[in-house]
Amino acid sequence: MADLVIRDADVVDGTGAPAYRADVVVADGRIVSIVKEAAAAGCQRPSATRELDAEGLVLSPGFIDMHAHSDLALLRDQDHSAKAAQGVTLEVIGQDGLSYAPVDDRTLAEVRRAITGWNGHGDDIDFDWRSVGEYLDRLDRGIAVNAAYLIPQGTVRALAVGWEDREATPQELDRMRQLVAEGLEQGAVGMSSGLTYTPGMYAKDAELTELCRVVAQYGGYYCPHHRSYGAGALQAYEEMVALTREADCPLHLAHATMNFGVNMGRAPELLSLLDDALAAGADISLDTYPYTPGCTTLVALLPSWASEGGPEEILRRLTDDKTAERIRHDLEVVGADGCHGVPVEWDTIEISGVTDPALQAYVGRTVEDSAALRGEAPWVTARRLLVEDRLGPTILQHVGHEENVQAIMRHRVHTGGSDGILQGAKPHPRAYGTFPHYLGRYVRELGVLSLEECVAHLTGRPAARLRLPDRGVVREGYRADLVLFDPATVAAGATFDQPRTLPTGIPHVLIDGRFVIEDGRRTDVLAGRAVRRTPV
């Protein structure tokens, strides 16, 4: 007898096809039968050890978060309701060119310092891996949701070249090619870059193209956080399209936004660029989050020259008055490349988290507001935070435009990604709310997408990009990674004031046919595993 039959569900199958009523039967972690209009047909209905009445609920594939920063959270927090309660059954981690494999002892220590704001110090983690394969094996011991991994190009460069702003030697480039190939052989699905973060930003296009050739050989994809989301955004998108066409490598644009005042209303220009490339044969997809503010670390805003050499060199420069004044000038007057070529507006920079509890009073305030309370210039406050918290502060950057957000999410190659940083006292609500916010706000309330379109954006389309042969669609023989939600009530509970509030209207989530969320509550099931690249 089957394990479970889900009766009278309104199935939205992830392909974009119209919804239909059906009984869905699950056994041994897979969908074994779909009986359409079972009740109306009057036929003998399928039976199972357990029956779940899904009247009034939509049954869809589990949501795939194409841009997640849960690299350590999956190991630290076995509950992980931030994602499980949203209906997320698979996260893609290793984003923005910096993560924890492949590393050696030196690089691991450097990376831990560099991305403390994303993932915490990691003092509570046993870093018992060094290679990509060993990290994926660690995930296989049991995690809340599935995870796929992108090889982080910045970490690879740190391992082969270091944190200096220079071209790689031929021998170093060969070493990077080797590291990327090994990571893909061990199960990574592609490669990421953070081209406004050190040391990845120091790679020229020729270097990136060579690494993308390796990615393409293994059937992976390239996922860049490109060189500008501000003053040079369109040129940065063009650069990524051109170099991946040269490498014949699939391209997935990370958090594909058009931010800052210079890009208000310019989403159609980006979409035109993508349409032209797609018409010419390019293989392109993208992800976005359904919010206007961005989220990163405060140190990421600094000019690249100030970040050369790694975290200790950054701190040394910040404590030198003459060098700190040069940093301020680049930030406030010139427009630092770390701030996307736009002069920083301190009233848009909200501190969302710090690692030192003594600095907690800054959280939830903009840098400008905190500076005014202290009677000092904003840069003085920002510099103090960076030094005293040892580069730890995370920020919300209120620079987005709703019309751009909506235009981009309508595009046919769009997928959903939270870009959710789970650290800090006041994280961006997208970490806890992205997927129900799409369904509640942009489907039910605004009608920007139909329900069937939106589910396809969040399930079938990302599964196709990841080349997953048996996920992302409600189909017989596919894995039973499923979510049941109420289309009339599903909504993000998370807000900017209460960012860790769980969503409503998602009573059940299954991974491999096992309930991860049941009757709206997290179970103790750890059904998640590493999802490795499908060999070409």
Side-chain angles (χ1 to χ4, degrees), residues 93-94 97 101-102 132 149-154 156 179-185 188-193 215:
I93 56 178
V132 170
Y149 190 70
L150 293 167
I151 301 165
Q153 171 258 330
V156 167
L179 289 166
V180 172
E182 289 173 353
L184 290 159
E185 289 170 355
V189 296
M191 181 180 74
S192 74
S193 282
V215 174

Side-chain angles (χ1 to χ4, degrees), residues 29-94:
R30 293 187 179 270
I31 300 167
V32 296
S33 178
I34 300 173
V35 183
K36 295 185 178 181
E37 304 294 344
C43 59
Q44 183 176 352
R45 302 184 71 175
S47 59
T49 303
R50 177 176 177 182
E51 297 183 3
L52 177 62
D53 182 3
E55 181 68 38
L57 298 178
V58 167
L59 173 67
S60 83
F63 305 136
I64 298 175
D65 188 343
M66 286 295 287
H67 192 104
H69 287 284
S70 301
D71 305 47
L72 298 186
L74 283 163
L75 303 177
R76 173 185 295 123
D77 176 19
Q78 292 192 329
D79 180 83
H80 203 48
S81 287
K83 294 303 178 66
Q86 293 186 59
V88 172
T89 58
L90 171 60
E91 298 183 274
V92 185
I93 56 178

Side-chain angles (χ1 to χ4, degrees), residues 178-458:
Q178 178 187 5
L179 289 166
V180 172
E182 289 173 353
L184 290 159
E185 289 170 355
Q186 293 164 10
V189 296
M191 181 180 74
S192 74
S193 282
L195 299 179
T196 65
Y197 301 130
T198 57
M201 63 161 51
Y202 301 137
K204 301 294 191 291
D205 284 2
E207 178 181 314
L208 295 171
T209 301
E210 287 303 306
L211 298 183
C212 283
R213 292 188 200 280
V214 178
V215 174
Q217 289 169 6
Y218 284 88
Y221 69 93
Y222 180 44
C223 179
H225 164 130
H226 49 270
R227 298 191 194 275
S228 176
Y229 290 82
L234 283 175
Q235 294 89 335
Y237 283 115
E238 289 170 353
E239 175 191 9
M240 295 299 100
V241 170
L243 76 84
T244 50
R245 293 300 303 278
E246 174 67 22
D248 195 23
C249 181
L251 172 64
H252 180 84
L253 295 165
H255 37 57
T257 56
M258 293 287 288
N259 288 339
F260 302 92
V262 294
N263 289 318
M264 182 180 294
R266 298 187 69 188
E269 296 177 58
L270 167 61
L271 300 180
S272 177
L273 166 68
L274 298 182
D275 286 337
D276 289 347
L278 289 163
D283 183 355
I284 301 175
S285 56
L286 59 86
D287 66 68
T288 70
Y289 47 83
Y291 299 87
T292 52
C295 178
T296 186
T297 56
L298 185 59
V299 67
L301 304 183
L302 302 187
S304 57
W305 63 262
S307 297
E308 184 181 1
E312 290 302 324
E313 284 299 302
I314 299 172
L315 288 167
R316 183 187 64 78
R317 293 182 181 105
L318 286 167
T319 53
D320 178 80
D321 288 343
K322 183 177 180 180
T323 309
E325 172 57 23
R326 183 183 168 200
I327 294 172
R328 182 206 65 78
H329 184 266
D330 277 9
L331 272 171
E332 296 185 346
V333 180
V334 177
D337 48 2
C339 198
H340 306 279
V342 177
V344 68
E345 297 174 325
W346 294 115
D347 62 336
T348 69
I349 307 300
E350 177 185 352
I351 303 299
S352 60
V354 291
T355 61
D356 184 349
L359 301 172
Q360 193 63 35
Y362 291 94
V363 174
R365 293 194 175 107
T366 67
V367 172
E368 184 170 278
D369 287 344
S370 290
L373 289 172
R374 296 181 61 90
E376 62 190 18
W379 167 242
V380 175
T381 299
R383 179 187 177 191
R384 178 187 299 107
L385 277 169
L386 286 166
V387 171
E388 294 182 5
D389 205 36
R390 298 191 65 78
L391 312 182
T394 52
I395 62 170
L396 302 184
Q397 202 166 7
H398 296 270
V399 293
H401 309 286
E402 180 65 21
E403 67 273 25
N404 286 346
V405 170
Q406 293 191 24
I408 294 169
M409 75 169 63
R410 291 189 184 101
H411 198 271
R412 67 186 186 280
V413 301
H414 169 266
T415 68
S418 70
D419 194 16
I421 294 175
L422 299 168
Q423 290 297 117
K426 197 183 177 191
H428 197 302
R430 68 193 186 195
Y432 284 73
T434 286
F435 295 87
H437 198 50
Y438 267 118
L439 296 168
R441 177 66 172 162
Y442 289 94
V443 172
R444 184 179 63 247
E445 295 178 7
L446 298 179
V448 175
L449 295 169
S450 72
L451 180 60
E452 290 86 353
E453 287 174 321
C454 187
V455 168
H457 287 217
L458 306 181

Side-chain angles (χ1 to χ4, degrees), residues 451-503:
L451 180 60
E452 290 86 353
E453 287 174 321
C454 187
V455 168
H457 287 217
L458 306 181
T459 61
R461 189 173 296 163
R465 165 52 73 215
L466 293 166
R467 298 179 60 247
L468 303 178
D470 58 358
R471 301 177 195 265
V473 178
V474 178
R475 182 173 294 165
E476 291 179 356
Y478 275 49
R479 291 182 180 272
D481 293 355
L482 303 168
V483 56
L484 288 119
F485 62 90
D486 182 348
T489 64
V490 62
T495 65
F496 286 98
D497 290 331
Q498 300 292 330
R500 296 186 188 274
T501 305
L502 297 180

